[in-house]
Amino acid sequence: MLDFDPLTFDLQSVPEGYLADPYAVLAALRNVAPVHENPDGTYVLTRHADLTQVYRDPRLWSSDKRADFAPKFGNSPLFEHHTTSVVFTDPPDHTRIRKLFQSAFTPRALAAFAPRITALVDTYLDRMEDQGGMELVEEFSFRLPIEVVCDMLGVPREDRELIRDWANAILTALEPKLTQAQLETGNRAVEDFKTYLRDLIAHRRANPEGAKPTEVLTVLADAEADGERLTELELLHQCIFMLNAGHETSTNMISHGVHEMLRHPDQIAALNSDPGLIDPMVEEVLRYQAPIQINNRRSTAETMLGDMPIPAGTTVHMMINAANRDPAQFPDPDRFDIARAPNRHLSFGLGVHICAGNTLARLEARIAFERLFARFPRLALVAPLKVAPRLRFREIEKLEISVN
Ligand code: HEM
């Protein structure tokens, strides 16, 4: 039983039990106040229809975070990063930068990654078999996406741990509440990451013959968008963003997928008797445990959400986790059903900022789940999972599994 008054909900200080089950807390909130004014004057949105409306109108709902981040980050490397990366810009800058990503994410460019993803997955599964199980996060779900996104950017193998630590520090700085230590670690990470990438880009420019045809670093570094190159800072921050966006989210998608299937053995049996369910399964995993739980926008003019007037300059928290469980969109929303159709989850957002890497993430998930569950139908959980204490990213820290 939840013991809190939904009308007092505060995203800066969530009720006990939120981390274990944000969905129940937000369902209670949606029932009484679907457009809820947070004590700090921001609004918390929990209805699928409201999130859809906001995503679809980038002129009225800006992604530019300068006003939000100035008080939080001051004039700092974190401010520079989070206000320059593509996800936090509005058109026309957004359109110019996003265009540069397109060539890296065409189905043809991505098809080139399928054999590499399959080979990586099989290596992890061989190890799993040899060991009789594994701690899945460290040995599989973190490894796969970081290998793929680092291949995409042309980051050498030996540097991949560095990327993980920097990414974690930079993304943690997006949490609604921050400690001074987290801020300092985040700022240091942005600076170290920039220095690292400057060297990497200089090396690539000096040795262009070493680049793979799919390497995004070269594409971005050489790109001209309407005759306009990215500035050096823009280039560095897009690379940082891609490396961050491209692994942490996918890591959690894989961990949650395995965890949910293990919690629902009937769904493993369903998949094994009908392998055609793999695509809807991936969508259901994304819906059920959205790796990014919250997006934000700021109103550029006075407007309405449902019957609630919203002043200009208001920040809204778009609770993807809640929208993905909205009974107005998903019948029996708390049921994990790998055959669910239609499944219009918002885990990749929607509209002009829709996740540029969504096809890649889906490809990783499809290959990982397909091969894992076909090879080990008797997977089991060895210990209860550990969820990290973060609100924006739903992160599993540890997942011990055995294969027999
Ligand atoms: C399960 C994995 C992933 C999830 C859940 C996810 C989620 C999201 C979401 C919700 C957004 C929209 C943010 C907004 O509208 O404010 C986004 C944007 C983006 N994502 Fe992903 N993402 C994933 C994987 C990836 C991967 C693998 C890459 C690249 C390798 C990537 C690259 C991007 C980029 C570049 C954007 C910015 C797009 C823009 O602003 O136009 N993502 N992602």
Side-chain angles (χ1 to χ4, degrees):
M1 268 303 274
L2 282 171
D3 184 20
F4 87 106
D5 172 4
L7 291 175
T8 63
F9 180 81
D10 182 356
L11 197 56
Q12 302 285 338
S13 163
V14 289
E16 220 186 301
Y18 182 93
L19 267 183
D21 189 356
Y23 312 104
V25 172
L26 294 170
L29 179 63
R30 187 177 48 232
N31 279 339
V32 295
V35 181
H36 169 72
E37 186 172 357
N38 209 55
D40 61 359
T42 59
Y43 281 74
V44 180
L45 313 183
T46 43
R47 279 189 302 221
H48 189 281
D50 291 330
L51 267 73
T52 303
Q53 184 182 330
V54 171
Y55 277 128
R56 289 209 185 279
D57 194 346
R59 258 177 9 132
L60 180 57
W61 293 103
S62 167
S63 290
D64 186 323
K65 298 287 183 289
R66 279 174 290 194
D68 294 287
F69 288 168
K72 183 170 174 176
F73 296 138
N75 183 11
S76 66
L78 277 171
F79 182 79
E80 182 186 279
H81 173 66
H82 286 306
T83 54
T84 311
S85 60
V86 63
V87 74
F88 295 144
T89 54
D90 286 331
D93 278 341
H94 172 260
T95 323
R96 173 175 61 89
I97 300 169
R98 170 117 187 183
K99 228 191 242 172
L100 302 178
F101 284 100
Q102 303 297 37
S103 65
F105 292 103
T106 59
R108 222 175 98 207
L110 292 178
F113 280 94
R116 167 95 171 120
I117 297 172
T118 305
L120 283 167
V121 167
D122 287 349
T123 314
Y124 309 141
L125 297 185
D126 289 347
R127 192 173 312 139
M128 201 182 278
E129 186 165 342
D130 290 347
Q131 298 173 171
M134 66 172 39
E135 196 288 288
L136 189 94
V137 179
E138 182 61 34
E139 296 191 67
F140 186 158
S141 44
F142 158 69
R143 299 254 151 235
L144 176 66
I146 199 145
E147 294 292 340
V148 173
V149 77
C150 286
D151 279 1
M152 264 185 128
L153 269 286
V155 171
R157 297 259 150 91
E158 61 275 15
D159 297 339
R160 296 178 180 190
E161 297 286 334
L162 279 175
I163 306 288
R164 172 179 40 191
D165 294 343
W166 289 330
N168 200 294
I170 294 169
L171 294 178
T172 296
L174 293 175
E175 284 295 293
K177 239 169 85 178
L178 276 185
T179 64
Q180 190 56 31
Q182 285 171 322
L183 262 178
E184 281 163 18
T185 312
N187 279 318
R188 215 172 318 116
V190 174
E191 282 307 302
D192 291 348
F193 215 150
K194 277 165 62 184
T195 306
Y196 174 82
L197 285 169
R198 271 199 188 100
D199 288 350
L200 190 66
I201 291 165
H203 177 77
R204 180 50 78 231
R205 285 194 166 133
N207 303 280
E209 68 289 346
K212 298 202 188 81
T214 47
E215 198 175 283
V216 182
L217 192 66
T218 321
V219 174
L220 287 178
D222 294 347
E224 303 258 357
D226 296 334
E228 237 182 311
R229 273 173 191 267
L230 291 177
T231 63
E232 197 217 11
L233 269 187
E234 281 179 334
L235 169 62
L236 295 176
H237 289 301
Q238 304 326 312
C239 292
I240 293 178
F241 178 73
M242 277 270 289
L243 285 165
N244 293 351
H247 85 269
E248 157 132 24
T249 45
S250 299
T251 297
N252 289 315
M253 165 184 67
I254 296 168
S255 305
H256 280 296
V258 174
H259 183 243
E260 290 308 330
M261 291 296 270
L262 292 181
R263 285 179 61 211
H264 300 90
D266 59 318
Q267 302 291 297
I268 299 185
L271 179 66
N272 284 336
S273 64
D274 179 3
L277 285 174
I278 189 73
D279 287 330
M281 177 222 159
V282 170
E283 299 311 307
E284 183 66 346
V285 167
L286 284 160
R287 178 189 78 87
Y288 204 73
Q289 295 285 0
I292 295 185
Q293 300 247 301
I294 312 173
N295 272 171
N296 295 94
R297 296 291 189 270
R298 177 182 274 260
S299 58
T300 57
E302 199 179 308
T303 186
M304 298 288 290
L305 280 174
D307 54 9
M308 185 72 90
I310 307 283
T314 300
T315 294
V316 293
H317 305 279
M318 303 159 76
M319 307 305 286
I320 297 174
N321 47 5
N324 280 357
R325 305 272 188 118
D326 183 348
Q329 176 66 216
F330 302 100
D332 200 0
D334 292 322
R335 179 154 174 256
F336 179 72
D337 173 8
I338 66 167
R340 186 179 288 276
N343 191 342
R344 298 191 186 92
H345 66 76
L346 295 173
S347 293
F348 291 120
L350 201 69
V352 295
H353 285 280
I354 192 167
C355 176
N358 76 81
T359 310
L360 176 61
R362 285 172 159 132
L363 183 68
E364 290 171 352
R366 177 187 225 278
I367 296 175
F369 296 143
E370 206 166 41
R371 301 186 82 75
L372 174 70
F373 292 111
R375 183 158 162 187
F376 301 117
R378 290 171 47 212
L379 279 184
L381 215 54
V382 171
L385 93 167
K386 251 181 95 186
V387 178
R390 297 162 90 190
L391 303 190
R392 190 171 292 275
F393 300 96
R394 189 139 179 90
E395 179 193 354
I396 295 184
E397 285 180 337
K398 279 199 183 334
L399 192 63
E400 291 281 352
I401 57 171
S402 69
V403 295
N404 42 36

